Amino acid sequence: MSAHDRYGHDVLSGDWRHAGKPRTTDMPLSLGLIVEVGSDGYCGEVVGWENGMIVLEDRNQRRRTFPVGEYGYLVEGRPVALRIPPRRGASQSLRTPSGSRTGSHEQPHVALGSRIYVEGRHDAELVEKIWGDDLRHVGVVVEYMGGMDDLLGIVAEFEPAGGRRLGVLIDHLVANTKESRVAAQVRHAGYGDYVKITGHRFIDVWQTIKPDVLGIKAWPDVPMDRDFKKGTLAALGIPRHKPYARIDQADVGRAWQAMLARVSTYRDLDMDFVREVEKLIDFVTQDHIDQDS
């Protein structure tokens, strides 16, 4: 198997290239068009398209995004490549991925002094994908820390104060863990009302994505002596036939991008995680809301 299609047969591939299929024809997108995604059987109504992505909504009002073009789409059983209609702009979906109405995001604010810190790049990318529109509208920037062992020093360097709040999102924030002990140190460091630390119960932000969104039954258990991300890929067989010892950071990066592409709405995520992120957004924007009210 060549390097460019090493994910062609794993659970995240969504590969639509099958021999013997009827010839694919181009079809312009239109609101209300019913489309089946042949790669995974998802079927939904076109409710919008923007930035090269199509937004589909199924009968349970669950939305997912897919790329414009040829992606194994079926309309009335016929294979089609979905295209942006000529001489027309992108449609406006009714809500952002976080569930906010798009009309409330027309004028972004200048960046506030307040920030949200997350542990790693993947955390930041997931928060950006779902809450990016909301954060830009209120002027809040998300930054990743690259680890939280020196969280007390990171918070001190930020110098939180009124109008400069700091929200911190931590992986695996459960009782009797290193993460909970470090968070407690910050809480008792005298920053009062200007720092809020919260988190989720999962070992890594990957697990905040609901397994069925990725086409798996459950997230695998990874032994404590293994790197979580590499161990997860080895358990899932990604890349195909590649043992744990040979999985590298490039494999991790490609797998994460494939996972992230499957996430299109907050409904694709664990709801406890969603609530904690939204608590942080409310917290870091509180001074701004107070000034506007």
Side-chain angles (χ1 to χ4, degrees):
M1 181 178 295
S2 62
H4 73 277
D5 65 351
R6 67 197 305 174
Y7 290 86
H9 300 286
D10 65 45
V11 296
L12 301 176
S13 67
D15 192 350
W16 64 91
R17 294 165 292 188
H18 301 289
K21 294 285 186 178
R23 184 179 179 84
T24 299
T25 58
D26 286 353
M27 174 175 286
L29 283 161
S30 61
L31 295 177
L33 182 69
I34 304 300
V35 177
E36 179 181 353
V37 183
S39 59
D40 61 9
Y42 180 87
C43 185
E45 173 185 353
V46 175
V47 295
W49 58 87
E50 57 187 351
N51 300 324
M53 301 297 291
I54 306 164
V55 184
L56 300 181
E57 182 176 276
D58 67 14
R59 66 180 63 186
N60 296 316
Q61 296 185 318
R62 176 177 168 182
R63 293 187 177 188
R64 289 176 58 182
T65 58
F66 299 92
V68 170
E70 185 175 350
Y71 195 77
Y73 298 122
L74 300 174
V75 173
E76 296 182 351
R78 296 181 292 112
V80 298
L82 297 174
R83 307 296 184 188
I84 301 294
R87 301 175 65 84
R88 294 181 63 181
S91 69
Q92 296 297 316
S93 56
L94 297 179
R95 293 184 180 274
T96 68
S98 70
S100 301
R101 292 188 179 276
T102 55
S104 64
H105 296 85
E106 293 176 358
Q107 296 296 328
H109 283 80
V110 175
L112 301 178
S114 300
R115 294 287 187 272
I116 292 176
Y117 281 2
V118 297
E119 279 200 64
R121 187 183 301 274
H122 294 178
D123 307 65
E125 289 176 345
L126 182 60
V127 170
E128 161 62 26
K129 181 158 188 181
I130 301 302
W131 289 276
D133 289 333
D134 306 62
L135 292 166
R136 279 184 290 277
H137 175 66
V138 296
V140 172
V141 176
V142 175
E143 300 180 11
Y144 68 92
M145 301 180 290
M148 52 82 67
D149 290 346
D150 187 30
L151 183 59
L152 189 58
I154 291 171
V155 173
E157 183 178 1
F158 181 79
E159 298 181 345
R164 186 175 170 80
R165 294 184 177 219
L166 179 62
V168 182
L169 182 70
I170 295 177
D171 296 337
H172 201 220
L173 188 59
V174 296
N176 301 316
T177 61
K178 174 190 74 175
E179 290 81 3
S180 64
R181 290 191 291 273
V182 173
Q185 292 175 359
V186 177
R187 291 191 185 102
H188 293 95
Y191 293 104
D193 296 331
Y194 304 125
V195 176
K196 182 177 183 63
I197 300 175
T198 188
H200 55 81
R201 66 188 184 278
F202 301 106
I203 295 174
D204 189 272
V205 75
W206 284 18
Q207 295 175 313
T208 64
I209 302 175
K210 293 178 180 177
D212 64 290
V213 173
L214 305 178
I216 59 178
K217 292 183 179 179
W219 284 101
D221 292 326
V222 178
M224 294 294 292
D225 61 345
R226 288 193 165 191
D227 176 89
F228 173 80
K229 291 182 171 69
K230 294 180 182 180
T232 296
L233 297 188
L236 294 175
I238 305 170
R240 187 174 175 85
H241 302 314
K242 193 170 185 179
Y244 170 81
R246 292 182 55 206
I247 294 174
D248 56 26
Q249 286 304 120
D251 296 318
V252 171
R254 282 188 287 267
W256 168 244
Q257 291 306 316
M259 295 177 196
L260 191 61
R262 292 289 185 96
V263 177
S264 60
T265 169
Y266 73 96
R267 296 186 184 94
D268 293 334
L269 305 177
D270 175 81
M271 289 309 299
D272 288 339
F273 172 71
V274 170
R275 282 190 287 269
E276 296 308 314
V277 173
E278 294 186 345
K279 285 179 186 177
L280 284 185
I281 295 174
D282 289 344
F283 174 78
V284 298
T285 57
Q286 189 60 54
D287 293 333
H288 172 71
I289 292 172
D290 290 344
Q291 291 169 7
D292 286 350
S293 59

